[in-house]
Amino acid sequence: MWLKPEEVLLKNALKLWVTERSNDYFVLQRRRGYGEGSSALTGLLVGTLDTVLDSTAKVAPYRILHQTPDSQVYWTVACGASLEEISQHWDWLQINIMRTLSVFDSGDDITSFVQGKIRGLIAEEGKGAPDTQEQERFREAVLRFEHLFGLPRQEKLVTYYSCSYWRGRVPNQGWMYLSTHFLCFYSYLLGNEVKLALPWDEVSRLERASSVLLTESIRVCVRGEEHYFSMLLHLQQTYLLMQQLAAYAVTRLFDKETFDADHPLSDPPRITQRALEVHARNQAFRAFFRLPCEENLCEVYESFLWLPFSHHNTLGKICVSERYLCFASQDGSQCHLILPLREVVAVELVDPGSRALSVSVRGKRGFRFSEVRDFERLAATIRRKCLPLCDDEEEMMVGQKKAVSTEALMNVFHPHDTENLDPKMLKERMKEQLWQIHFAEYGRGSGMFCTKKTRDLVVRGIPETLRGELWMLFSGAVNDMAVHPGYYTSLLEECMGSSSLACDEIERDLHRSLPEHPAFQTDTGISALRRVLTAYAYRNPKIGYCQAMNILTSVLLLYAKEEEAFWLLVAVCERMLPDYFNRRIIGALVDQAVFEELIRDHLTQLTDHMSDLSFFSSVSLSWFLTLFISVLPIESAVNVVDCFFYDGIRAVLQLALAVLHHNVDSLLCCSDDAEAVTILNRFFDSVTNKDSPLPATVQQATGDRSAQPTVDITDLIREAYENFGNIQWEEVESMRKRNKLYVVQTLEETTKQNVLRVIAQDVKFSATQLEELYCSTLLNHDPSLPYLDQYQLGHGQFCSLFSLLLPWGNSPPSNTHTCVHSHSHTHSHLHSLARSAFCLADQNEDGLINFREFICALDVLYNGSFTEKLKFLFKLHLQPDCGGDGVIRKSPERGRGKFDLQEYLKQWQDELQKKDDNIKHLPRINQTQFICLSKTLYSVFHGDEEEEHLYCAVARVTSLLLRMEEVGRKLQENSPTKTPPTTTQSLEQSPAPTSHTPETCTPTESEGTTKTPDSPPGCAGISPVHPDTSPSDTNPTSTTSTATSSPTGTHSSTLDTPSDTPGDPPSPAAGGDWSFSFEQILASLLNEPTVVRFFEQTVDADTLIEYARSAQLRDARTHVK
């Protein structure tokens, strides 16, 4: 292809290139190491240089250079992958360029003409497709990625970068490939190949690092091993993209159901670098402005916003979404503004010269934006988005249901007394007046300017009468409630009267929520709390109800109306504290890790004194879960909640650091953790709110404070902002993302170790084997269940794994062709057997088998005794025919973050009792089931060295059992009392079976024996139940006895005569059908040493597990979702 002319120096390049053709103005060269006559060493050296230095990891082997006779400078004009391709370019130059060049007198003119002509050719080729070259490079990278790593076909490459991978102190220059599920790297240096494929869902640490040797690098920790990547051109961009892919992989694996249903990138083909960047931008936009989750950033404009309170313009960015126009300053004024488009009434272009427009909202307020580069487009966008919102609002007003009209509980139980001249009430009125002044200058409600002054007022404490209103505004809950009118009332109508596990837990905790407060000592407060918690559990069954939600909701109800409290709870649980309120409290643990990191950065004296900071994480967990409500008096805790709704989790982190900073001297003198806890508890008891207007009956008593100095909550919060106010929101979010991987992987590792430790006590698999099998069951994961049930297998995955791991008829021999033939020969029956095993293990019929049940079944087949293995096969054939549709039928309570502990313990007790089941409790096996059992025995013997002897043994056992059944029938017919004897009684009356060996099963044993067509060699005269024999062909009641049907010469029912009703097997309950007990089958098979030896032989579990993993990977590569 033609290349943009670039200057090259041939002094050293001649060693790497060989000239094939030349003339006065052009040279065609071939790369050393390519083509005929190339030595292996030359190819090795050149290949290494191509991988390290070239931008495409593959230098084209042919190129054309332009030169002039009076110059030593050469210019690249074309390259090709083959001699045919480069020859076409050479011929075109010869025909179209060479004659023209002869008219020029100057070499510079010749060079200028050639360069212009080549650039024209490139522009002509790229006309209408400006990204064609980049797309072609990406397609080449995809092909290399697929060829190098051999991953499943559905694995999608997102992007790739040139970088160095450090192995010890030696860098390996190569290429990093980022795909949807893997971080891959490839390098080839002097014959040394480095190839990595690290799964994203196993990454526990991903962070930027620097050292003396590595100035800037990305550190990736996988399974305890650290990998360093450096020399990236755009390191920060690469790091953020890697962080996103790792986070999505973890979410996809451990929250698969929600991810597949809601996540915008749940479809792998949609995961591109651009899609990831857009999704990250939308997340940051929603988090910063506290907007609903359905909002996406549509347009961004740089502009100035006129601030009427300070009479100057502030520089910032306008961000427009579907329903909101937002502004955030960038000049340090910390001013931000949120304008719901539903409030906009007019948009005007006021000054085209300064590119200014004015946005008017309800309440006769206007906002002036200037120096907007495309202000006309912005105005048109706002007008276009406002029209449908106005129509929607009219429809919502028409169909709106009556809202729940309840007052804030504080107004009911502690009404505001305007005539009270108490000093505390006077201070409260001063606060109110300050806020009224603020509203007059900065606006009130939606469209209020939020600045440093706003934060200063929040730090002082929001007045009691304004707390609910400002909580709604700062949290963004006011927008949720505005766009969902009547939603809460509808939710109450749907959920009230329903019964669930969440409702039971809510009822248990209702009277534990602020029991000292009068509002929750009456039915008014308790009923409101019940309604809000029940409605939210119904709205979000994934969370349902968790402890600590009742405490938080109680405080919300004190200062907000019932419907407002509901939307505040939605904002806290789903936006401000994500993943906090579930069984594993991942969000809280992530913030604990962030807290530890901040302690190391800001409280170095504690870090030097204590090597392990996990103590502070454990003791501060309740601080974060309840926003300090559980450790501070209510009159002080509400000030913390004020700051939380304005600044988010950053305010809680700052206050936690201030608490430790205030007690640092005492903590340094502690000898153990208990003493440190006592110091912190004593400190919280000393925290007061001297300006609180609440009466003594409402304030919480915290003991005798006269013996210790008190700390005012306002001073403590102000100290937190002064000492730790430099912690930025972006920094906290970055630390959250960085630590979430570590927290999730730690939890999963703990869960795995707990599961393996419990299961290892009941099975004989080694720890390594259990871990390998555990990694194969990660498809269905439900962290809300007990840890033994978190990892489960669906019908399809169970059948696939069970068939691969079955130790008989499927063992991977050394010959691959034999293995494939054996697997194909028994595939159909193995699948039927796996389906029966799934039905046997799926006791609750929910379509899932937990890891413990799967391992216990395998343990019987691998390590059980002969009796245990036979009992397992016997029970498999007692199972009714199950459809195996693969549908997961979860109960309504699953996935809500809670489980019934009593029910779980009862289930565990029942499982323990099952271990003591006696074989006498097993039901009898009927005719159809016995024939299926015989088929199974024949299939598991297939491919064994003693296959023929095993067939003979089963044939003898079958004949013996049928003769015993016939004897029992004759005894029944001859019995004078006509009492039907059991087959067990017949067995006791019949002679004891004689042990036979395969060698005695020959035609010479009976003169009248004949070799049946279905009998294996050496088993003439025996009439086994052949695998191909249908149940309708084996009814002994419709056959005649012959002397040649038994090796002993006695009469026995043959199985060769068809029944009277073929195709319709007789019912087991019919009078003429036969059946056997497990004791009969066991006793008969114990007399066959070949069968006993076959089932008691040692199983090579390691080989089978490795074979199953290879087969799974092979299937994944050939299967496309």
Side-chain angles (χ1 to χ4, degrees):
M1 61 181 176
W2 300 110
L3 300 176
K4 180 180 178 181
E6 293 183 359
E7 185 178 340
V8 296
L9 184 63
L10 291 187
K11 181 178 180 180
N12 297 319
L14 291 175
K15 300 178 181 178
L16 300 177
W17 295 90
V18 178
T19 300
E20 294 285 333
R21 305 176 191 174
S22 64
N23 55 38
D24 292 340
Y25 300 105
F26 297 100
V27 177
L28 190 154
Q29 294 182 331
R30 173 179 55 83
R31 187 78 163 173
R32 289 186 184 272
Y34 296 93
E36 299 179 358
S38 301
S39 66
L41 180 59
T42 303
L44 181 64
L45 293 172
V46 175
T48 298
L49 288 173
D50 291 346
T51 302
V52 173
L53 301 178
D54 191 70
S55 60
T56 61
K58 182 180 179 182
V59 174
Y62 296 93
R63 70 178 182 181
I64 297 177
L65 304 178
H66 164 64
Q67 65 166 349
T68 55
D70 56 348
S71 175
Q72 298 296 320
V73 178
Y74 287 73
W75 302 82
T76 57
V77 295
C79 69
S82 63
L83 182 60
E84 291 76 15
E85 179 185 357
I86 203 67
S87 296
Q88 292 178 3
H89 291 73
W90 179 267
D91 294 340
W92 189 91
L93 292 172
Q94 291 287 103
I95 296 172
N96 298 281
I97 299 293
M98 288 297 297
R99 294 180 182 178
T100 307
L101 297 181
S102 60
V103 302
F104 292 99
D105 298 329
S106 169
D108 294 338
D109 294 339
I110 294 175
T111 301
S112 299
F113 175 79
V114 170
Q115 291 179 353
K117 190 64 178 179
I118 298 301
R119 290 192 181 99
L121 292 174
I122 295 173
E124 188 67 26
E125 290 179 350
K127 185 179 297 183
D131 296 332
T132 302
Q133 185 176 3
E134 186 63 30
Q135 292 175 359
E136 185 63 30
R137 289 181 181 177
F138 188 78
R139 283 195 293 268
E140 292 177 0
V142 170
L143 293 176
R144 289 198 303 271
F145 171 74
E146 294 175 351
H147 172 71
L148 289 173
F149 301 99
L151 297 173
R153 289 186 180 180
Q154 64 267 22
E155 188 64 25
K156 185 178 186 305
L157 179 65
V158 176
T159 188
Y160 62 105
Y161 298 100
S162 173
C163 70
S164 292
Y165 170 68
W166 290 79
R167 178 182 290 179
R169 294 181 176 271
V170 179
N172 295 271
Q173 180 66 28
W175 289 85
M176 174 195 292
Y177 298 88
L178 305 181
S179 68
T180 52
H181 296 85
F182 292 89
L183 161 62
C184 301
F185 176 83
Y186 181 79
S187 172
Y188 183 81
L189 291 169
L190 300 176
N192 180 26
E193 185 181 53
V194 178
K195 186 185 296 185
L196 291 176
L198 308 176
W200 287 120
D201 52 34
E202 294 183 7
V203 174
S204 58
R205 285 287 188 187
L206 179 62
E207 56 190 4
R208 294 182 60 172
S210 60
S211 62
V212 177
L213 186 62
L214 298 175
T215 54
E216 284 286 345
S217 63
I218 298 176
R219 182 168 73 97
V220 182
C221 186
V222 179
R223 295 188 293 270
E225 296 183 3
E226 293 185 347
H227 306 271
Y228 289 88
F229 301 91
S230 67
M231 300 185 186
L232 287 149
L233 183 61
H234 304 288
L235 189 136
Q236 179 64 15
Q237 177 189 9
T238 307
Y239 170 70
L240 293 177
L241 192 61
M242 294 169 67
Q243 197 175 60
Q244 278 185 278
L245 289 170
Y248 293 152
V250 169
T251 306
R252 186 167 48 238
L253 180 63
F254 301 121
D255 198 4
K256 187 175 186 298
E257 184 176 342
T258 303
F259 184 88
D260 291 342
D262 301 332
H263 204 283
L265 298 178
S266 57
D267 186 16
R270 295 174 56 187
I271 302 181
T272 62
Q273 182 175 358
R274 176 173 175 78
L276 290 171
E277 292 172 352
V278 169
H279 186 65
R281 186 180 62 181
N282 290 335
Q283 279 186 321
F285 167 68
R286 289 191 295 264
F288 183 82
F289 291 107
R290 312 274 174 81
L291 297 179
C293 58
E294 60 268 14
E295 294 299 315
N296 293 307
L297 182 59
C298 301
E299 299 176 8
V300 179
Y301 301 87
E302 255 193 17
S303 74
F304 286 91
L305 172 63
W306 173 254
L307 304 180
F309 49 86
S310 60
H311 303 287
H312 77 277
N313 288 305
T314 180
L315 176 64
K317 287 187 177 180
I318 300 174
C319 302
V320 183
S321 69
E322 288 85 351
R323 293 175 178 268
Y324 299 91
L325 184 147
C326 307
F327 178 87
S329 65
Q330 296 180 299
D331 59 359
S333 62
Q334 298 180 8
C335 172
H336 67 271
L337 173 72
I338 302 174
L339 290 179
L341 295 180
R342 64 179 182 273
E343 301 284 341
V344 176
V345 295
V347 181
E348 300 177 359
L349 303 178
V350 294
D351 186 5
S354 62
R355 294 177 295 184
L357 72 156
S358 174
V359 179
S360 301
V361 298
R362 295 173 185 173
K364 298 181 179 180
R365 298 181 59 207
F367 302 88
R368 188 177 187 274
F369 300 94
S370 59
E371 299 301 330
V372 183
R373 175 172 298 181
D374 199 348
F375 69 105
E376 294 179 347
R377 177 186 174 186
L378 175 59
T381 299
I382 298 174
R383 293 191 187 104
R384 185 179 68 253
K385 291 180 177 293
C386 286
L387 291 176
L389 291 180
C390 295
D391 297 337
D392 293 344
E393 186 174 352
E394 292 178 0
E395 294 177 3
M396 289 189 296
M397 292 299 294
V398 173
Q400 181 176 352
K401 297 184 179 181
K402 184 179 179 181
V404 178
S405 57
T406 58
E407 288 293 325
L409 295 179
M410 192 62 74
N411 295 337
V412 176
F413 291 90
H414 180 52
H416 191 64
D417 187 2
T418 57
E419 298 181 358
N420 191 343
L421 299 179
D422 183 85
K424 292 184 178 180
M425 289 303 300
L426 291 176
K427 288 185 178 180
E428 187 73 5
R429 292 178 190 175
M430 290 178 61
K431 287 183 181 179
E432 293 176 7
Q433 291 177 359
L434 289 174
W435 276 99
Q436 293 300 332
I437 296 173
H438 183 277
F439 292 150
E441 295 181 357
Y442 296 83
R444 185 168 186 172
S446 299
M448 183 178 76
F449 290 97
C450 294
T451 64
K452 290 180 179 179
K453 186 175 180 180
T454 311
R455 176 180 283 114
D456 293 338
L457 291 176
V458 171
V459 170
R460 294 183 186 181
I462 299 176
E464 301 282 323
T465 56
L466 298 176
R467 190 161 266 144
E469 175 189 346
L470 293 177
W471 284 358
M472 291 287 292
L473 178 64
F474 296 150
S475 66
V478 64
N479 297 317
D480 289 325
M481 192 170 72
V483 298
H484 298 94
Y487 175 81
Y488 178 65
T489 307
S490 302
L491 210 59
L492 287 178
E493 293 175 357
E494 294 176 13
C495 70
M496 279 306 167
S498 62
S499 178
S500 65
L501 184 58
C503 293
D504 296 339
E505 294 177 341
I506 290 172
E507 289 297 327
R508 282 201 302 265
D509 289 345
L510 284 177
H511 296 280
R512 305 174 187 172
S513 309
L514 299 184
E516 305 88 354
H517 199 284
F520 298 101
Q521 295 173 358
T522 64
D523 184 63
T524 302
I526 294 296
S527 298
L529 181 60
R530 178 189 293 112
R531 287 192 294 268
V532 173
L533 292 175
T534 305
Y536 185 78
Y538 189 82
R539 164 191 165 87
N540 191 346
K542 180 176 176 285
I543 293 178
Y545 169 76
C546 295
Q547 289 185 350
M549 289 175 65
N550 60 319
I551 299 175
L552 177 61
T553 308
S554 301
V555 175
L556 298 179
L557 283 168
L558 290 177
Y559 296 98
K561 297 179 181 180
E562 186 175 319
E563 185 176 7
E564 294 175 344
F566 169 79
W567 287 112
L568 284 170
L569 184 63
V570 170
V572 171
C573 295
E574 298 177 10
R575 288 200 301 271
M576 302 186 72
L577 296 179
D579 297 327
Y580 259 63
F581 300 99
N582 54 42
R583 182 174 176 267
R584 308 204 312 174
I585 57 172
I586 291 179
L589 296 177
V590 169
D591 284 343
Q592 299 305 296
V594 173
F595 184 43
E596 284 188 28
E597 196 169 336
L598 291 174
I599 292 175
R600 294 188 182 93
D601 294 339
H602 297 275
L603 299 175
T604 55
Q605 59 270 49
L606 282 178
T607 307
D608 297 338
H609 181 69
M610 303 178 65
S611 57
D612 185 11
L613 298 178
S614 59
F615 161 75
F616 295 113
S617 297
S618 59
V619 77
S620 64
L621 182 60
S622 63
W623 307 354
F624 288 80
L625 282 173
T626 65
L627 305 179
F628 285 89
I629 298 173
S630 62
V631 294
L632 288 175
I634 182 62
E635 64 273 13
S636 300
V638 291
N639 286 37
V640 180
V641 180
D642 293 342
C643 298
F644 167 74
F645 278 123
Y646 188 83
D647 275 326
I649 193 61
R650 183 164 68 104
V652 180
L653 290 167
Q654 290 174 176
L655 183 60
L657 290 172
V659 169
L660 297 184
H661 182 263
H662 200 278
N663 296 274
V664 64
D665 295 333
S666 301
L667 291 173
L668 292 175
C669 299
C670 291
S671 57
D672 54 25
D673 293 348
E675 187 178 353
V677 172
T678 303
I679 290 173
L680 292 175
N681 288 337
R682 190 181 300 120
F683 171 78
F684 287 127
D685 291 340
S686 68
V687 176
T688 63
N689 189 349
K690 61 183 180 181
D691 296 332
S692 175
L694 297 180
T697 56
V698 174
Q699 296 187 18
Q700 293 178 341
T702 56
D704 184 15
R705 296 174 176 170
S706 60
Q708 55 184 353
T710 59
V711 179
D712 185 68
I713 185 62
T714 304
D715 297 334
L716 184 62
I717 293 176
R718 186 180 293 110
E719 178 185 339
Y721 274 90
E722 290 175 354
N723 294 333
F724 309 104
N726 58 342
I727 300 174
Q728 299 298 317
W729 172 81
E730 295 83 2
E731 181 185 357
V732 173
E733 289 299 315
S734 177
M735 288 190 288
R736 272 180 159 182
K737 293 177 182 179
R738 184 167 64 247
N739 286 282
K740 184 175 182 179
L741 296 175
Y742 174 74
V743 169
V744 171
Q745 294 295 347
T746 302
L747 286 175
E748 292 308 311
E749 183 65 23
T750 303
T751 299
K752 181 177 77 172
Q753 296 303 326
N754 288 338
V755 171
L756 298 184
R757 184 172 61 252
V758 171
I759 295 179
Q761 301 173 3
D762 301 328
V763 299
K764 298 179 182 178
F765 284 111
S766 67
T768 304
Q769 292 169 347
L770 283 176
E771 190 166 354
E772 291 290 335
L773 291 169
Y774 185 88
C775 296
S776 303
T777 60
L778 299 181
L779 189 58
N780 293 290
H781 179 255
D782 190 349
S784 65
L785 297 175
Y787 59 83
L788 286 176
D789 293 330
Q790 287 187 12
Y791 288 102
Q792 299 176 319
L793 295 88
H795 176 266
Q797 189 187 14
F798 176 90
C799 291
S800 174
L801 274 176
F802 189 85
S803 301
L804 291 171
L805 292 170
L806 194 67
W808 314 304
N810 195 39
S811 301
S814 56
N815 190 315
T816 305
H817 175 75
T818 308
C819 171
V820 174
H821 174 73
S822 173
H823 180 72
S824 175
H825 183 78
T826 59
H827 174 74
S828 177
H829 192 74
L830 288 179
H831 180 75
S832 176
L833 199 65
R835 185 173 56 187
S836 298
F838 182 84
C839 296
L840 177 64
D842 187 18
Q843 297 294 332
N844 59 357
E845 299 182 354
D846 65 345
L848 292 172
I849 303 297
N850 66 29
F851 180 69
R852 182 180 185 179
E853 294 166 339
F854 177 68
I855 290 300
C856 289
L858 281 183
D859 187 61
V860 172
L861 299 179
Y862 279 59
N863 305 310
S865 63
F866 172 73
T867 303
E868 292 172 338
K869 293 177 181 177
L870 185 63
K871 178 182 175 181
F872 182 81
L873 294 176
F874 184 87
K875 292 170 70 175
L876 284 187
H877 295 84
L878 292 175
Q879 295 297 310
D881 185 27
C882 58
D885 53 10
V887 178
I888 299 175
R889 304 173 180 86
K890 289 188 177 182
S891 63
E893 295 302 325
R894 294 188 63 171
R896 298 198 178 187
K898 293 291 180 181
F899 61 94
D900 191 337
L901 183 58
Q902 297 297 330
E903 182 66 24
Y904 182 66
L905 292 176
K906 183 178 182 300
Q907 179 183 353
W908 200 350
Q909 184 178 7
D910 293 341
E911 290 178 359
L912 293 176
Q913 290 177 351
K914 288 179 183 178
K915 295 182 179 180
D916 300 329
D917 285 346
N918 196 294
I919 59 176
K920 295 182 179 179
H921 298 157
L922 293 174
R924 299 172 65 83
I925 192 169
N926 62 33
Q927 170 183 340
T928 304
Q929 294 167 344
F930 179 74
I931 293 173
C932 292
L933 176 61
S934 301
K935 288 183 180 181
T936 299
L937 292 176
Y938 283 120
S939 67
V940 300
F941 295 153
H942 180 75
D944 192 81
E945 296 177 353
E946 298 184 285
E947 180 179 352
E948 296 181 2
H949 300 303
L950 291 168
Y951 281 176
C952 291
V954 173
R956 284 193 295 271
V957 169
T958 303
S959 300
L960 177 62
L961 290 172
L962 292 174
R963 290 199 303 272
M964 288 191 297
E965 177 65 21
E966 183 180 2
V967 171
R969 289 180 181 276
K970 289 182 178 180
L971 291 175
Q972 179 181 358
E973 294 173 358
N974 298 331
S975 174
T977 60
K978 301 298 182 182
T979 302
T982 63
T983 309
T984 306
Q985 292 172 341
S986 302
L987 177 61
E988 294 173 353
Q989 296 171 5
S990 63
T994 306
S995 176
H996 297 281
T997 61
E999 287 76 7
T1000 62
C1001 184
T1002 60
T1004 60
E1005 291 188 16
S1006 175
E1007 295 295 334
T1009 56
T1010 59
K1011 183 175 181 179
T1012 62
D1014 290 337
S1015 300
C1019 300
I1022 299 177
S1023 300
V1025 182
H1026 194 269
D1028 297 331
T1029 307
S1030 65
S1032 60
D1033 296 336
T1034 58
N1035 188 353
T1037 61
S1038 61
T1039 60
T1040 58
S1041 300
T1042 62
T1044 62
S1045 61
S1046 168
T1048 60
T1050 60
H1051 292 279
S1052 175
S1053 300
T1054 66
L1055 303 176
D1056 298 330
T1057 305
S1059 63
D1060 296 333
T1061 58
D1064 187 14
S1067 171
D1073 291 336
W1074 42 267
S1075 63
F1076 301 113
S1077 67
F1078 177 73
E1079 297 98 311
Q1080 288 177 295
I1081 298 176
L1082 176 63
S1084 302
L1085 288 175
L1086 283 173
N1087 287 307
E1088 298 294 340
T1090 310
V1091 177
V1092 176
R1093 187 166 56 250
F1094 172 81
F1095 281 105
E1096 290 188 343
Q1097 63 185 348
T1098 303
V1099 178
D1100 189 355
D1102 294 329
T1103 302
L1104 277 173
I1105 293 173
E1106 181 61 31
Y1107 166 70
R1109 291 187 61 184
S1110 302
Q1112 281 185 310
L1113 182 59
R1114 183 175 61 250
D1115 293 342
R1117 289 175 179 173
T1118 57
H1119 176 68
V1120 179
K1121 290 184 179 180

